[in-house]
Amino acid sequence: MILQMNGIKKSFGSNEVLKDISLQVDSGEVVSIIGPSGSGKSTLLRCATFLETIDSGEIIYMDKQAVTTGTNGQAVYVGKNELAQVKRYFGLVFQQFNLFPHYSVLKNIMDAPIHVQKRLKEEVHQEAMELLRKMDLEARADAYPCQLSGGQQQRVAIARALALKPEILFFDEPTSALDPELTGEVLKVIRQLAEEKMTMVVVTHEMPFARAVSNRVIFMDKGFIVEQGDPEEVFGNPQQERTKQFLKNYQR
Amino acid sequence: MTLSTMLASMGEGMLRTCAIFFLTLIFSMPLGMIVMFLRRSRFRIVREITKIYIAIMRGTPLMLQLLAWYFGPYYLFGMSIRGYRFPAIIIGFAMNYAAYFAEIYRGGIEAIPQGQYEAAEVLGYNSVQTFFKIILPQVIKTILPSVTNEVITLVKDTSLAFTLAYNEMFSLAKQIAASQTSFMPFVIAGIFYFIANYVVAFVMERIEKHYDYYK
């Protein structure tokens, strides 16, 4: 088990965004999370990556407890150093890429492995070039993000996340900021990673992609997991009324 | 009085003007950074006090502030400090310009998208690395045009030191103009400010070019 999230609750003020959500991800699994906007799927990802703090529940990465909830119902995070250790297990790809504009493509990928993980420059350089080859961006190593298309930027962002060798990679609507023509090249990369058995959790609106690539689909609505299971089951034969209603809008 | 003697007698004033200019920059730019951090403090009381400070510095004439810094110690505490004239000028200028720089820095920092902080956090950068490696270089790029404006204003503002009867270049120009009944000293002063600002604009443009490699 790579990730366990149990009984996650999260509110923004009086707005309860996550109402008792549990999510387990096994090694090599590709999980897609779908659902209408405001359903809490992005918040779930942001809680899993500690960009938001949960109100109660527990988060465990690779048997390391990162967040616990005591008897008083309040979530308790482990200390700063232990949390930094846990953070090494995951990577996150953002909807808006969030590349560092003042760094070249290569430096975007190499900087964190060198300055955060303190790895050797030569070794990191070699791996970065390999990642760029994989992303079909070898020729753009010295370009700056502003010189790349959205699809290329997102592929650099994926390479940047992979360079830290995470156990699990989260994607927060990785193609939502791209026009349809560029969506394909990013999805192709994610599909390729799935074939290599990279553990991934993808929040997405790309239904055909979710159906084709993932081992499991989770449908969320209003802070709950309404339905989850094999993609063929969820898409082909949804059990819940809300799921049917949601999917109908995508089958035009 | 010939042109060269005029220039000679104004020369020392020019050095004094330059001293005010450079010392003000040296003190006010880092001080502005501190004021900016206080203005963004997580403690409300600190933020509010800093806001009042900035409001006073920007809301009252620099000339008045110079008088307050110079005469304040005497009227408030009965202190008369020897050789305080020049320090009072530098304190007055630095405190005033720090307020403006602080607001420029703040604008630059707040223009950085939240996503940059989040990306840095997920990649494992600590807060010091995030600030110096990711945020600050981008802030510098965005604030350069505003900083140029401020520095050019400072060149011209140095003449306000005449308020405390400090013989910087413009004070001398006025004295010579009066005693010689000549307009020439003012022409010289004008050319001096113009050239100084030309140099400032040139240098700042070079720095901006240096950051031109990305958008």
Side-chain angles (χ1 to χ4, degrees), chain B residues 6-28:
Chain B
M6 252 181 216
L7 272 172
S9 32
M10 284 172 75
E12 204 178 329
M14 287 176 192
L15 286 180
R16 290 191 186 120
T17 294
C18 289
I20 297 172
F21 173 78
F22 285 113
L23 286 173
T24 300
L25 280 187
I26 287 167
F27 289 116
S28 65

Side-chain angles (χ1 to χ4, degrees), chain B:
Chain B
M1 195 182 246
T2 64
L3 189 64
S4 57
T5 43
M6 252 181 216
L7 272 172
S9 32
M10 284 172 75
E12 204 178 329
M14 287 176 192
L15 286 180
R16 290 191 186 120
T17 294
C18 289
I20 297 172
F21 173 78
F22 285 113
L23 286 173
T24 300
L25 280 187
I26 287 167
F27 289 116
S28 65
M29 293 187 101
L31 193 60
M33 194 72 94
I34 295 168
V35 174
M36 182 271 291
F37 281 124
L38 295 176
R39 174 69 180 74
R40 286 169 57 86
S41 162
R42 79 186 104 151
F43 304 109
R44 200 192 149 149
I45 178 84
V46 177
R47 285 201 306 271
E48 292 302 322
I49 291 171
T50 313
K51 267 199 233 174
I52 292 169
Y53 166 77
I54 292 171
I56 293 172
M57 289 296 125
R58 296 199 302 186
T60 60
L62 177 53
M63 193 187 279
L64 185 64
Q65 290 168 27
L66 289 172
L67 290 169
W69 284 110
Y70 186 55
F71 293 111
Y74 175 75
Y75 285 114
L76 290 175
F77 312 109
M79 289 160 58
S80 42
I81 313 162
R82 280 170 57 94
Y84 179 54
R85 191 185 305 274
F86 186 66
I89 289 168
I90 299 305
I91 292 170
F93 272 92
M95 296 299 271
N96 180 276
Y97 272 78
Y100 284 95
F101 281 128
E103 288 297 279
I104 291 175
Y105 298 157
R106 190 168 67 90
I109 288 218
E110 285 173 4
I112 304 293
Q114 189 59 28
Q116 292 288 304
Y117 291 95
E118 291 182 350
E121 195 183 327
V122 172
L123 291 170
Y125 291 98
N126 62 38
S127 50
V128 176
Q129 286 175 322
T130 302
F131 183 74
F132 285 102
K133 290 173 76 78
I134 312 297
I135 305 302
L136 191 61
Q138 297 184 58
V139 168
I140 291 173
K141 182 181 164 76
T142 43
I143 65 172
L144 276 175
S146 320
V147 169
T148 306
N149 259 338
E150 217 41 45
V151 175
I152 284 176
T153 307
L154 174 61
V155 169
K156 294 174 286 182
D157 271 359
T158 52
S159 60
L160 287 174
F162 87 89
T163 320
L164 301 187
Y166 183 71
N167 283 334
E168 45 69 53
M169 198 255 315
F170 197 67
S171 307
L172 289 177
K174 276 195 295 187
Q175 287 165 24
I176 298 168
S179 64
Q180 303 293 319
T181 53
S182 159
F183 194 72
M184 204 54 199
F186 291 136
V187 175
I188 295 170
I191 292 170
F192 172 82
Y193 288 126
F194 184 82
I195 290 173
N197 277 328
Y198 195 87
V199 172
V200 168
F202 178 80
V203 170
M204 293 305 284
E205 203 186 311
R206 291 293 292 268
I207 300 175
E208 274 183 47
K209 276 238 171 70
H210 174 75
Y211 285 96
D212 243 8
Y213 66 90
Y214 75 91
K215 273 204 238 31

Side-chain angles (χ1 to χ4, degrees), chain A residues 47-59:
Chain A
C47 287
T49 50
F50 309 137
L51 289 176
E52 304 284 356
T53 52
I54 60 171
D55 300 331
S56 75
E58 61 175 359
I59 301 176

Side-chain angles (χ1 to χ4, degrees), chain A residues 120-137:
Chain A
L120 285 175
K121 199 175 168 182
E122 289 73 27
E123 175 197 316
V124 172
H125 182 264
Q126 210 171 5
E127 286 174 13
M129 289 311 291
E130 220 159 280
L131 280 168
L132 282 175
R133 213 164 305 151
K134 208 161 140 185
M135 301 293 151
D136 200 17
L137 284 169

Side-chain angles (χ1 to χ4, degrees), chain A residues 46 99-100 102 111 115 144, chain B residues 116 118 125 129 133 213:
Chain A
R46 292 172 62 81
L99 292 175
F100 302 132
H102 58 306
D111 199 69
H115 292 106
Y144 284 87
Chain B
Q116 292 288 304
E118 291 182 350
Y125 291 98
Q129 286 175 322
K133 290 173 76 78
Y213 66 90

